Amino acid sequence: MNWNIAAHDWAVQILQNHMRSGNSRHAYLFVGPQGIGRRTISLRFIQALNCLNPPTVGEFCGECRVCRQVLQMQHPDLFIGEAETQGGILKIDTVREIQHSLSLQPYEARWRVALFLRFDEANQNAQNALLKTLEEPPENVKMILTASMENALLPTILSRCEIIRLRPMPLADLQKILIDEWNADEEHAWRIAHLAAGRIGFAVSLLQNEEKADTILETAREGLELLSQNTRQRFRYAEKFKDVRKRGDLRNTLQIWQSLFRDLLLLSTNSNLSGELPLTFVDLKFDLSGIAEKVPSERFLSVLNQINHSMDYLDANVNLQLLTENLLLEWPSLH
């Protein structure tokens, strides 16, 4: 069965070459933004490693019991490690539990596989705990990690993994897939392709959940409104994150603001260029263009850097409301 991984044929080729040469690595790290297909390619790889009836080395049938159970992430030789909620923290206890399971012989598959999703959410203790297994992996064990950013992982983790960096699709190619394979009309596919920034998995999730797309746009609009608000109003907005359990919500908001200020930076530095810019929020282009004309591009770049720093601090034990207040104090003001 073809892996059917849109835009990542080159990555599939690397993995298949490793398998065909009998030289597959003991640990892989798939890096890329959320929704780019990290989990999908990981599961396809695990199916190819453990399929009971592979058509050829490096492929899988997709129909045997192992293939079906791996796809559902329910196979007895597959162990999933992830934070309880997206944007949460993957803790050491989860890593240790999986390490114990990996020390046993496979139940029926050729390989016991640990799949650590969003491993950039692992705290330092959890990452350090995994190091021993990465350094001295048991026989018949593969470890697969996914992450949005390499810089959130310890250098010693990175050095022990084969790193596969997944890239977004060209927007026109993604638009075509959404039209041909998901029956989206041309205008809607164009809008979703931009909103997903070339990430096929994220684009499909937006097609299937219109409310999700609306929520992202609303958060972006709130970011634009904050530029015209005074300090008191901005601090009132920051109160949304006074609960420590809102860490995941704040991470999602910061990611949307990253895209928002990237759009502003693109517009401010390319105002004299013709052609379509790869904006994320094409629905807001008129408002974005008006703001881009009023603020120097250096300020947008500065805010982007501040947002990146704020996301780094999220992994520490910081006050979320105070973190948001400090960020908003540095934003340009239009009022």
Side-chain angles (χ1 to χ4, degrees), residues 2-74:
N2 187 286
W3 287 35
N4 193 27
I5 302 289
H8 303 318
D9 289 346
W10 61 273
V12 172
Q13 189 65 50
I14 289 173
L15 297 171
Q16 289 181 326
N17 287 343
H18 287 179
M19 296 179 66
R20 289 165 182 162
S21 67
N23 193 32
S24 60
R25 314 303 192 249
H26 71 278
Y28 289 84
L29 168 63
F30 294 102
V31 179
Q34 177 188 353
I36 202 167
R38 300 171 311 195
R39 183 173 65 175
T40 298
I41 195 171
S42 296
L43 293 175
R44 297 284 193 276
F45 184 34
I46 297 167
Q47 287 176 303
L49 285 168
N50 281 333
C51 178
L52 296 177
N53 305 300
T56 185
V57 177
E59 296 185 5
F60 56 92
C61 70
E63 299 176 355
C64 70
R65 181 180 65 259
V66 170
C67 282
R68 288 185 279 108
Q69 289 179 334
V70 167
L71 186 61
Q72 297 169 356
M73 298 194 295
Q74 294 179 346

Side-chain angles (χ1 to χ4, degrees), residues 39-299:
R39 183 173 65 175
T40 298
I41 195 171
S42 296
L43 293 175
R44 297 284 193 276
F45 184 34
I46 297 167
Q47 287 176 303
L49 285 168
N50 281 333
C51 178
L52 296 177
N53 305 300
T56 185
V57 177
E59 296 185 5
F60 56 92
C61 70
E63 299 176 355
C64 70
R65 181 180 65 259
V66 170
C67 282
R68 288 185 279 108
Q69 289 179 334
V70 167
L71 186 61
Q72 297 169 356
M73 298 194 295
Q74 294 179 346
H75 192 272
D77 288 314
L78 173 61
F79 307 94
I80 309 296
E82 61 181 326
E84 292 182 0
T85 59
Q86 186 170 323
I89 298 176
L90 174 60
K91 299 179 181 179
I92 189 172
D93 291 344
T94 301
V95 172
R96 285 177 172 165
E97 182 179 345
I98 291 176
Q99 284 175 312
H100 173 72
S101 299
L102 293 177
S103 67
L104 307 175
Q105 288 298 311
Y107 176 74
E108 67 170 348
R110 179 182 179 190
W111 300 98
R112 291 211 133 185
V113 182
L115 174 57
F116 289 99
L117 299 171
R118 308 190 310 277
F119 196 68
D120 42 344
E121 295 176 355
N123 61 28
Q124 190 164 2
N125 288 335
Q127 292 193 38
N128 279 320
L130 188 63
L131 270 178
K132 182 173 179 58
T133 305
L134 286 173
E135 292 169 348
E136 302 175 9
E139 291 185 7
N140 302 317
V141 163
K142 298 289 184 186
M143 283 176 286
I144 300 175
L145 286 62
T146 73
S148 297
M149 301 174 293
E150 292 177 52
N151 61 6
L153 304 184
L154 296 173
T156 44
I157 294 284
L158 298 175
S159 67
R160 287 160 175 78
C161 294
E162 178 83 9
I163 302 176
I164 307 290
R165 299 176 179 89
L166 303 179
R167 302 183 290 264
M169 296 179 67
L171 298 182
D173 292 349
L174 178 52
Q175 180 188 17
K176 187 175 188 304
I177 288 176
L178 297 179
I179 294 172
D180 294 346
E181 298 184 17
W182 296 90
N183 299 318
D185 64 69
E186 184 174 351
E187 182 177 350
H188 190 46
W190 174 77
R191 172 177 172 264
I192 292 297
H194 280 261
L195 196 58
R199 296 169 289 171
I200 177 65
F202 194 40
V204 171
S205 72
L206 293 178
L207 277 180
Q208 296 173 334
N209 186 349
E210 284 295 322
E211 290 184 2
K212 186 175 182 179
D214 293 340
T215 299
I216 292 171
L217 277 173
E218 181 58 30
T219 301
R221 288 191 181 97
E222 290 174 350
L224 292 182
E225 291 170 1
L226 285 166
L227 293 172
S228 299
Q229 293 180 356
N230 58 35
T231 300
R232 179 175 54 81
Q233 292 170 314
R234 293 182 181 189
F235 280 15
R236 186 180 302 130
Y237 181 88
E239 291 177 3
K240 292 173 56 174
F241 305 109
K242 61 184 178 181
D243 188 338
V244 68
R245 291 172 296 182
K246 294 288 187 177
R247 188 180 305 274
D249 292 341
L250 180 54
R251 188 184 299 276
N252 291 335
T253 297
L254 293 178
Q255 289 172 343
I256 293 169
W257 286 351
Q258 275 182 323
S259 298
L260 180 69
F261 278 90
R262 173 187 168 275
D263 281 1
L264 288 167
L265 183 61
L266 276 173
L267 288 166
S268 67
T269 55
N270 295 278
S271 57
N272 295 324
L273 296 179
S274 59
E276 188 69 37
L277 292 174
L279 301 177
T280 299
F281 299 106
V282 290
D283 291 349
L284 305 179
K285 184 176 180 180
F286 178 80
D287 294 332
L288 291 167
S289 297
I291 295 172
E293 293 175 356
K294 300 175 183 178
V295 179
S297 58
E298 292 80 6
R299 293 299 307 278

